[in-house]
Amino acid sequence: MFADLHLHTCFSDGTFSPEEMVSHGQQHGLSALALTDHDTVEGCVRADLACQAAGIEFIPGTELTAEQEGNELHVLGYLIDIQHPGLLAEIAKFQTVRQNRIREMVVRLNQVRVPLTAEAVFALANCRSPGRPHVARALVQAGLCTSLDEAFERFLKKSRPAWVPNFKMSAADAIHLIHQAGGVAVLAHPGLNHADEVIPGMAEAGLDGIECFHTKHSTATAEHYLELADRFHLLVTGGSDCHGLNKGKPLIGSVKLPYQHVEKLKAKAAERKSAAAIK
Ligand code: AMP
Ligand code: ZN
Ligand code: FE
Ligand code: FE
């Protein structure tokens, strides 16, 4: 039995609906799926229903944009209560900033005579948690760029004309928020964020796990993080980080996490939930 614990849908910057994501998971024979859209839990209700219909275990999740010592980090929250008022209030703040950021990116594009409108981006994104990939897709759709890569290279990458920084909470706040919502906090793809030096501090702040297996982690990288997980007594997770068709071929199924790690995640969440209930 295998799981994929890192998946995006059209509720952030993926292209699949929750139902399409689940159908792909079923084709790959996965036993459990986690939805981890950026700074939102909007897709979880539909993904849960689709998983129930497909006989797949659903793990509600999110991927919070965070930072530590100036490095951008992504913190995955698993088995969170998606109705938790504190979590929803924080997520709403994130989403307002993301929407304002889209408007600012469009102003900057207009300043370099690229006639995109914010409305075109919002219509295409059709979600509360829009980001740069939606701007890139809108640029292609309007015929202003020929590919997503061109949009990032010319306009959206850091230090390009339309780049606007995203809001990031501190890694410790992200961990705390996930715990408050009864969830388990996991550092996403540390190999992509040069995150080794922040792991001891995050472990101190209550981090529960490390995403050792990820599409962009080599076997050596995965082994390195398995060692660190062991050293800091952290759980091990893994997922494909599939964004549907956004990055070419769908990645779902490319990382198959042995189900025993899901069992450990659930045991940790049960601990967290009883601790949250006592507080
Ligand atoms: P944001 O959170 O709005 O800053 O957007 C980050 C997203 O943009 C991530 O999902 C990245 O994978 C994606 N991204 C960054 N650079 C590129 C690129 N050159 N081509 C396509 N997607 C990219
Ligand atoms: Zn993404
Ligand atoms: Fe990420
Ligand atoms: Fe992701």
Side-chain angles (χ1 to χ4, degrees):
M1 285 169 76
F2 296 99
D4 187 334
L5 300 184
H6 194 151
L7 297 164
H8 296 271
T9 66
C10 56
F11 284 97
S12 66
D13 56 355
T15 62
F16 289 154
S17 65
E19 294 77 16
E20 286 168 334
M21 175 194 86
V22 172
S23 151
H24 281 268
Q26 198 172 23
Q27 284 164 32
H28 287 284
L30 295 166
S31 302
L33 297 180
L35 178 57
T36 55
D37 272 322
H38 301 280
D39 307 319
T40 187
V41 291
E42 258 187 293
C44 285
V45 171
R46 275 171 55 184
D48 192 2
L49 287 173
C51 275
Q52 281 177 37
I56 293 174
E57 183 173 354
F58 178 65
I59 314 274
T62 187
E63 181 174 18
L64 298 178
T65 312
E67 71 179 331
Q68 173 113 344
E69 291 157 29
N71 282 338
E72 178 164 333
L73 300 172
H74 293 174
V75 183
L76 297 158
Y78 289 118
L79 294 159
I80 39 176
D81 170 7
I82 60 165
Q83 314 266 16
H84 187 271
L87 176 72
L88 292 179
E90 277 306 311
I91 277 180
K93 278 195 227 164
F94 259 116
Q95 294 173 349
T96 303
V97 175
R98 277 182 171 272
Q99 290 160 21
N100 289 337
R101 177 180 179 235
I102 298 290
R103 292 189 188 94
E104 177 64 26
M105 286 194 266
V106 168
V107 166
R108 293 187 190 200
L109 283 168
N110 295 165
Q111 281 167 355
V112 293
R113 302 212 177 112
V114 178
L116 192 72
T117 64
E119 288 65 36
V121 182
F122 290 131
L124 179 145
N126 193 28
C127 71
R128 294 185 198 148
S129 201
R132 282 183 295 165
H134 297 114
V135 179
R137 270 156 62 193
L139 283 166
V140 173
Q141 195 181 58
L144 297 163
C145 285
T146 54
S147 68
L148 300 179
D149 266 346
E150 186 197 329
F152 273 92
E153 284 304 318
R154 282 177 61 197
F155 302 117
L156 302 172
K157 260 173 56 165
K158 191 167 179 175
S159 80
R160 294 293 191 266
W163 183 75
V164 178
N166 200 0
F167 170 71
K168 305 172 192 78
M169 56 171 36
S170 78
D173 285 350
I175 293 167
H176 184 62
L177 182 62
I178 291 163
H179 287 173
Q180 274 185 320
V184 178
V186 174
L187 178 61
H189 46 64
L192 304 188
N193 300 94
H194 315 288
D196 287 27
E197 59 282 11
V198 304
I199 290 175
M202 287 182 75
E204 190 78 13
L207 185 72
D208 298 298
I210 306 182
E211 187 177 53
C212 297
F213 302 106
H214 183 273
T215 312
K216 290 195 176 159
H217 282 178
S218 66
T219 308
T221 303
E223 275 167 12
H224 171 67
Y225 289 109
L226 286 168
E227 251 176 59
L228 286 186
D230 192 46
R231 191 183 317 159
F232 292 99
H233 309 289
L234 296 168
L235 298 171
V236 169
T237 74
S240 64
D241 211 351
C242 177
H243 283 72
L245 303 171
N246 245 359
K247 298 176 183 173
K249 190 177 164 286
L251 294 171
I252 186 168
S254 64
V255 171
K256 290 192 163 178
L257 181 75
Y259 188 78
Q260 72 198 63
H261 296 295
V262 179
E263 303 269 25
K264 290 183 185 162
L265 197 71
K266 290 199 291 186
K268 181 57 94 176
E271 259 177 52
R272 290 268 171 239
K273 283 198 172 57
S274 50
I278 292 162
K279 275 183 195 158

